[in-house]
Amino acid sequence: MIIDIHGHYTTAPKALEDWRNRQIAGLKDASLTPKVSELSISDDDLRETIEQNQLRLMKERGADLTIFSPRASFMAHHIGDFNTSATWAAICNELCYRVAQLFPEHFIGAAMLPQSPGVDPKTCLPELEKCVKEYGFVGINLNPDPSGGHWTSPPLSDRHWYPIYEKMVELDIPAMIHVSTSCNSCFHTTGAHYINADTTAFMQCLTSDLFKDFPTLKFVIPHGGGAAPYHWGRYRGLAQELKKPLLEEHLLNNIFFDTCVYHQPGIDLLTHVIPLKNVLFASEMIGAVRGIDPTTGHYYDDTKRYIEAAKLTAEQRHLIYEGNARRVYPRLDAALKAQGR
Amino acid sequence: MIIDIHGHYTTAPKALEDWRNRQIAGLKDASLTPKVSELSISDDDLRETIEQNQLRLMKERGADLTIFSPRASFMAHHIGDFNTSATWAAICNELCYRVAQLFPEHFIGAAMLPQSPGVDPKTCLPELEKCVKEYGFVGINLNPDPSGGHWTSPPLSDRHWYPIYEKMVELDIPAMIHVSTSCNSCFHTTGAHYINADTTAFMQCLTSDLFKDFPTLKFVIPHGGGAAPYHWGRYRGLAQELKKPLLEEHLLNNIFFDTCVYHQPGIDLLTHVIPLKNVLFASEMIGAVRGIDPTTGHYYDDTKRYIEAAKLTAEQRHLIYEGNARRVYPRLDAALKAQGR
């Protein structure tokens, strides 16, 4: 089975964006705030956007199941306050739940959290618990910078975040560390902010002893780990300067990288440098890079092609495609087993 | 000849740091502000710190010449105001000039600028001109984030920076895009802020048409280009989405990457993915990563070993070691020719 651990509902019906725009307008003029009940999206609407997009491409490319979460760039935790995010997260998570209900063989949910800059992360716990316990979600997306490019929250190693980690450990779910839209003009969202956040999160873990406090906590760092694998020598050397254990012991029981790296040499480096038990298949399809690479004639984000072309044994590919996902997402494994898979 | 285009005076005599600490103390209590004349560093002091450190390692490793600039993490442009930076930059640049005078075969200067957050970059021009015209410096370090991790300046494509670019073009010098210490607790200085800044600068250029306005402007993006080469497929794809020309045409007449990547697989990727005319030898020795890699028994930052082991022809290695540096730093080439080299 081929499990893509990183897909977002980037193709949701236009009604969702329209509702969000009204919600944002309501922040300036409360009379414009829409009710949740004013958003109406039918199962047929959902089916159409999925069948024509993600599911079509999954079938074409040969992926079986996607861990599916709300559109990352639309989380926009910097907009409004906690209540704004709470309402928005509930709507977006419910849509992913409905997609998973409609296509139970092909999609399973991961939650966005109702984060808001300066607000205690424990306010996210009710939404998190609902998504896991009622919706059957198997992971969360945790935004290390809800300010959207101003980086005003403490690092991930700070006790600020511990309520989330305690709940993750209790529920046995991993977090993908994933920022949202940048509202800092220095950072292009998908070209700089996403990749920087990956690198930053990795380094925040490296300098800390977070995983001594939470030995079973699991983070997935997306987009191939940002710059970390390319600079693995730098990170090994910095850990050494900081008198930390070897990275394998210090971080790699807890940190995992996905394969959202959109060319062969990048995937070759990732699978050569990082232990394969730490690499999980993903494409972030349909995401930031939607075009066809003129040098290959294939979609940039058809990452399965790179995994197929990498120097790997069948057993190693199985780890990347399925085995690691079942281990890192125990609730995914349980859900698959309940389906007889 | 082997030219290392990226070295900082990280081993300056302790008197320099002591003076800086007094300068910083003077920001709170003006009576503590030291005079420039109170800093006394003899030629013997300079000789000793260089001969025992950078020059010793250059000789051991086989590098002939280093483009030498003030310690990047000590630039700390966020401290004080323009006058603070102006005095500090003048002191640090003069020390690099004196090192180059003492070891003219082995060191040549590049300038730090007296940047200060929110201050017009054109205030940097007198120091820049002095360094090039009087000190014979061949390049500058330009900090895209003088706030030190808060990213409050406009992107490098903004007209804000144009006075610097106009002077660079006039004097025919490149800029290395190099941040300084992070004072944002989210970003470890050398593990996150440096690498993020490289990625950010690259993407700022990608989304803009800066090099249409300045066709001869040249940027060196250090630390192997941050995450850019590892994610080259993503960047090619994003350029395509943004209807920009191919990266070779759009950016690679103006952007160059150094080889400060501290393991073999990273250098292999860099030299495989990026046209070799855009890759310049560098080590940033003695810098962030000073230890010995237990997997090789050699210094992480002995990057010449990786270039030697990469699949390259002698001609390609010559480009990386010398040819590209002479082309990207025309004043370096002229200085070498004046020495009969």
Side-chain angles (χ1 to χ4, degrees), chain B residues 220-237:
Chain B
V220 177
I221 302 194
H223 321 110
Y230 175 50
H231 285 286
W232 203 240
R234 169 175 286 256
Y235 292 108
R236 288 196 289 114

Side-chain angles (χ1 to χ4, degrees), chain A residues 11-273:
Chain A
T11 59
K14 179 80 167 41
L16 181 68
E17 186 177 352
D18 292 343
W19 189 95
R20 173 66 159 173
N21 287 337
R22 291 175 61 205
Q23 186 194 35
I24 294 168
L27 296 171
K28 287 194 175 165
D29 176 353
S31 72
L32 299 174
T33 304
K35 292 179 190 159
V36 173
S37 60
E38 291 175 58
L39 176 63
S40 168
I41 295 177
S42 71
D43 283 355
D44 280 347
D45 292 338
L46 294 178
R47 264 193 214 97
E48 190 183 331
T49 61
I50 294 293
E51 281 173 350
Q52 291 183 4
N53 293 295
Q54 285 87 351
L55 190 56
R56 174 178 63 80
L57 289 168
M58 285 164 66
K59 287 180 175 170
E60 280 178 26
R61 299 179 186 182
D64 298 293
L65 177 79
T66 295
I67 299 181
F68 204 55
S69 59
R71 187 172 192 168
S73 63
F74 274 28
M75 296 190 299
H77 294 118
H78 62 278
I79 294 174
D81 58 13
F82 170 74
N83 288 323
T84 316
S85 283
T87 307
W88 179 233
I91 287 174
C92 293
N93 285 327
E94 192 194 12
L95 287 178
C96 289
Y97 169 59
R98 288 174 61 199
V99 168
Q101 293 288 102
L102 291 169
F103 302 97
E105 285 183 26
H106 299 299
F107 294 93
I108 195 162
M112 73 172 269
L113 300 180
Q115 295 177 248
S116 191
V119 176
D120 189 333
K122 79 175 163 211
T123 55
C124 296
L125 296 182
E127 180 68 21
L128 190 167
E129 288 213 84
K130 179 187 73 185
C131 287
V132 174
K133 293 183 175 169
E134 295 176 28
Y135 292 173
F137 283 16
V138 299
I140 59 171
N141 293 335
L142 180 64
N143 183 348
D145 173 30
S147 77
H150 295 291
W151 292 92
T152 53
S153 293
L156 290 172
S157 50
D158 192 276
R159 300 189 73 85
H160 172 80
W161 302 98
Y162 278 24
I164 301 281
Y165 302 156
E166 285 159 6
K167 188 56 71 179
M168 285 169 59
V169 167
E170 177 196 323
L171 297 175
D172 207 5
I173 54 167
M176 180 174 280
I177 308 302
H178 205 309
V179 288
S180 184
T181 289
S182 161
C183 52
N184 181 330
S185 66
C186 286
F187 304 127
H188 183 272
T189 295
T190 56
H193 190 44
Y194 280 19
I195 305 294
N196 291 350
D198 304 333
T199 309
T200 300
F202 180 79
M203 194 63 197
Q204 290 176 353
C205 295
L206 189 154
T207 53
S208 76
D209 293 310
L210 175 60
F211 302 122
K212 281 191 181 162
D213 279 2
F214 294 98
T216 62
L217 187 67
K218 292 190 214 113
F219 287 165
V220 177
I221 302 193
H223 321 109
Y230 174 50
H231 285 287
W232 202 241
R234 169 175 285 257
Y235 292 109
R236 287 195 291 114
L238 286 170
Q240 202 168 310
E241 303 267 327
L242 294 165
K243 315 284 185 211
K244 300 292 184 188
L246 293 177
L247 293 185
E248 283 69 15
E249 182 193 332
H250 182 47
L251 298 179
L252 293 188
N253 295 312
N254 307 88
I255 287 183
F256 303 86
F257 301 120
D258 80 10
T259 65
C260 294
V261 177
Y262 296 152
H263 65 152
Q264 190 68 47
I267 290 290
D268 290 343
L269 180 138
L270 173 67
T271 54
H272 177 60
V273 167

Side-chain angles (χ1 to χ4, degrees), chain B residues 34 206 326:
Chain B
L206 190 155
R326 285 184 184 262

Side-chain angles (χ1 to χ4, degrees), chain B residues 54-333:
Chain B
Q54 285 86 352
L55 190 56
R56 174 179 61 81
L57 289 167
M58 285 165 65
K59 287 181 175 170
E60 279 178 26
R61 299 179 186 183
D64 299 294
L65 178 79
T66 295
I67 299 181
F68 205 56
S69 59
R71 186 172 192 168
S73 63
F74 275 27
M75 297 191 297
H77 294 118
H78 62 279
I79 294 175
D81 59 13
F82 171 75
N83 287 323
T84 315
S85 282
T87 307
W88 179 233
I91 286 174
C92 293
N93 285 327
E94 193 196 11
L95 287 179
C96 288
Y97 168 59
R98 288 173 61 197
V99 168
Q101 292 288 103
L102 291 169
F103 303 97
E105 287 183 25
H106 298 300
F107 295 92
I108 195 162
M112 74 171 269
L113 300 179
Q115 295 177 248
S116 191
V119 176
D120 188 334
K122 80 176 164 213
T123 55
C124 296
L125 296 182
E127 180 69 22
L128 191 167
E129 288 213 82
K130 179 188 72 184
C131 288
V132 173
K133 292 183 176 170
E134 295 176 30
Y135 292 172
F137 283 16
V138 299
I140 58 171
N141 293 335
L142 180 63
N143 183 349
D145 173 30
S147 77
H150 295 290
W151 293 92
T152 54
S153 293
L156 290 171
S157 50
D158 192 276
R159 301 189 73 84
H160 172 80
W161 301 99
Y162 277 25
I164 302 280
Y165 302 157
E166 285 158 7
K167 188 56 69 178
M168 285 169 59
V169 167
E170 177 196 324
L171 296 175
D172 207 5
I173 53 167
M176 179 172 282
I177 308 301
H178 205 309
V179 288
S180 185
T181 288
S182 161
C183 51
N184 181 330
S185 66
C186 286
F187 304 127
H188 182 273
T189 295
T190 56
H193 190 42
Y194 280 20
I195 305 295
N196 290 350
D198 304 334
T199 308
T200 300
F202 180 79
M203 194 64 198
Q204 289 176 354
C205 295
L206 190 155
T207 53
S208 76
D209 292 312
L210 174 61
F211 302 123
K212 282 191 180 160
D213 279 3
F214 294 98
T216 62
L217 188 66
K218 293 190 214 114
F219 287 164
V220 177
I221 302 194
H223 321 110
Y230 175 50
H231 285 286
W232 203 240
R234 169 175 286 256
Y235 292 108
R236 288 196 289 114
L238 286 170
Q240 201 168 309
E241 303 267 326
L242 294 165
K243 315 283 185 213
K244 299 292 183 188
L246 293 176
L247 293 185
E248 283 69 14
E249 182 193 332
H250 182 47
L251 298 179
L252 293 189
N253 295 314
N254 306 87
I255 286 182
F256 303 86
F257 302 119
D258 80 10
T259 64
C260 294
V261 178
Y262 297 152
H263 65 152
Q264 190 68 47
I267 290 289
D268 289 344
L269 180 138
L270 174 67
T271 55
H272 177 61
V273 168
I274 304 300
L276 295 176
K277 73 175 179 60
N278 294 80
V279 178
L280 280 70
F281 177 70
S283 68
E284 202 170 8
M285 174 274 291
I286 297 170
V289 181
R290 302 183 179 198
I292 290 175
D293 185 342
T295 69
T296 65
H298 299 290
Y299 287 103
Y300 286 102
D301 66 3
D302 187 356
T303 53
K304 178 162 167 275
R305 289 187 166 271
Y306 312 132
I307 303 294
E308 290 297 315
K311 283 183 194 154
L312 297 166
T313 66
E315 199 177 339
Q316 290 172 328
R317 264 190 209 99
H318 172 77
L319 272 182
I320 293 172
Y321 283 145
E322 177 180 350
N324 294 335
R326 285 184 184 262
R327 201 180 69 251
V328 174
Y329 294 81
R331 284 176 178 265
L332 168 67
D333 186 50

Side-chain angles (χ1 to χ4, degrees), chain B residues 7-84:
Chain B
H8 302 293
Y9 197 5
T10 49
T11 59
K14 179 79 168 41
L16 181 68
E17 186 177 352
D18 293 342
W19 190 94
R20 173 65 159 172
N21 286 337
R22 292 175 61 205
Q23 187 194 33
I24 294 168
L27 296 171
K28 287 195 175 164
D29 176 353
S31 73
L32 300 174
T33 304
K35 291 179 190 159
V36 173
S37 60
E38 291 175 56
L39 175 64
S40 168
I41 295 177
S42 71
D43 284 355
D44 281 345
D45 292 338
L46 294 178
R47 265 193 213 98
E48 190 184 331
T49 62
I50 294 293
E51 282 173 349
Q52 292 184 4
N53 293 295
Q54 285 86 352
L55 190 56
R56 174 179 61 81
L57 289 167
M58 285 165 65
K59 287 181 175 170
E60 279 178 26
R61 299 179 186 183
D64 299 294
L65 178 79
T66 295
I67 299 181
F68 205 56
S69 59
R71 186 172 192 168
S73 63
F74 275 27
M75 297 191 297
H77 294 118
H78 62 279
I79 294 175
D81 59 13
F82 171 75
N83 287 323
T84 315

